Structure formats: C-alpha cells, structure tokens
Amino acid sequence: MNSEITTLEQLRVECLNCQKCGLAATRTNVVFGVGNPNARVLFIGEGPGENEDLQGEPFVGRGGQLLDKMLDAVDLSRKENIYIANIVKCRPPHNRDPQPEEQEHCINWLRAQTKLIAPKIIVCLGRISAQKLIKQNFRVTAEHGMWFEKGGIQFMGTFHPAALLRNPNNKPAAMSDFIALRDKINELCPETYTGSGLV
C-alpha cells in the first residue's frame, strides 16, 4: 500500500486493483465503501453480497434497505453524516463468511480507511465484524448495544441487517442499539447532527 496516500479517493483507486487473495478472481466489483469522508461515525459490515458485488456499494440489497430505514430513524444517512465499509472488500462466493486469511489480507485497507476518516464511533454490523474489531468471542445476542473503548474510539456491536431479515424478532433490540448510538453521538460528536465541521 502506498504510504503517500492522503485521501480516501486515492486509497479507493489503489484498492480497486487489489489481488491479495483469491476473492479477487471471482469479484465483479471491489466494494470499497461509501459515505461522508469526514464522518465521525463509521459502520463496518463483514463483506459484500451479490447486490453489493454487482453495484460496487455496501448494503444495497434488502438488508441495506432495512439499514437505511434504521439509520433514518436516528437522523443518520450514508449520503450525509456516516461512512459504511466492510471487513473484506470483495464478495466471498455464495455469500459465505469471509475466511480468516481473507480478512487478514484485506484488513489493512480498512485500517487505512479508519485512519483517514478518524471516526469517534465505530458500529460493527454482525458477528464477523464485531469479533474481528471488538473481541474474538463477541456474541451479538448477548453483547449488542454495549460500548467498548479501543484506541480512543468507542465501539458497539449490533445485529447485521441480513440477520434481522431472517429473524425479525430482534428488530426492537437492534433499534434500541441505534437509539443508544444516537445518544452516544450527541455525547461525543454532536457535530454529526448539526453539520458543523462536516462537508
């Protein structure tokens, strides 16, 4: 990775050419990320699905539509005040979980994104993301909505939107996590809502 990269766009251009693991051979598009490059809140999923692979944007299928509704309920938007990325940037075949070695090959792209965005809050969507970024034995059903501080950043794990589609009974719990997120934003980075300091 080029050490002279100073913007997300430069990083994205380099990421589009990545051949570090076998997922590069089967992808349609690299799914780099989307949102406000100055966001204080970063959402991180596990990896692209079929719709994401085809469109080159994270969370654009049915799960993405649900995520957008939940974001809207707490005045957040991928177009305005958050950024969304994934642990791996290429779709694992048949939407399987990304393998540990694939995550390791790809994690430096996410680390570079995080460094450039410099978020105050990271929300991990689903088990894979939370276990990679918060702690190895993270259990979404037991620990969703809890806050963990790492390196000066507040982390929360919550349900993956696709999991909520499979088990709608967890939607109220997930919504309570988003309300807790709104409270944390108002505490740590209210400019997310006022727009001051964001472009």
Side-chain angles (χ1 to χ4, degrees), residues 49-168:
E50 182 179 11
N51 289 301
E52 290 75 18
D53 178 54
L54 291 172
Q55 297 185 42
E57 184 174 325
F59 292 96
V60 292
R62 288 178 61 229
Q65 292 168 12
L66 175 58
L67 176 61
D68 284 342
K69 288 179 182 177
M70 296 176 71
L71 290 168
D72 186 60
V74 292
D75 300 317
L76 296 174
S77 164
R78 67 175 78 198
K79 292 182 174 68
E80 295 177 10
N81 53 9
I82 64 166
Y83 196 92
I84 305 176
N86 281 309
I87 296 288
V88 298
K89 310 303 187 195
C90 301
R91 180 195 180 195
H94 309 295
N95 291 359
R96 63 161 170 76
D97 290 346
Q99 297 171 352
E101 60 268 27
E102 292 164 349
Q103 295 181 44
E104 279 306 305
H105 281 302
C106 211
I107 196 68
N108 281 337
W109 295 116
L110 181 61
R111 288 180 178 137
Q113 283 177 299
T114 304
K115 184 176 180 180
L116 289 168
I117 296 167
K120 293 184 179 180
I121 296 170
I122 290 178
V123 180
C124 296
L125 297 167
R127 170 181 57 86
I128 298 291
S129 175
Q131 289 182 349
K132 185 67 176 175
L133 301 177
I134 298 177
K135 60 178 185 174
Q136 286 185 329
N137 61 347
F138 188 94
R139 294 173 301 144
V140 175
T141 52
E143 297 175 283
H144 71 89
M146 295 182 181
W147 291 102
F148 301 81
E149 191 274 332
K150 295 180 69 177
I153 300 173
Q154 291 290 325
F155 285 78
M156 174 207 280
T158 189
F159 298 89
H160 193 284
L164 295 176
L165 291 174
R166 292 192 298 269
N167 188 354

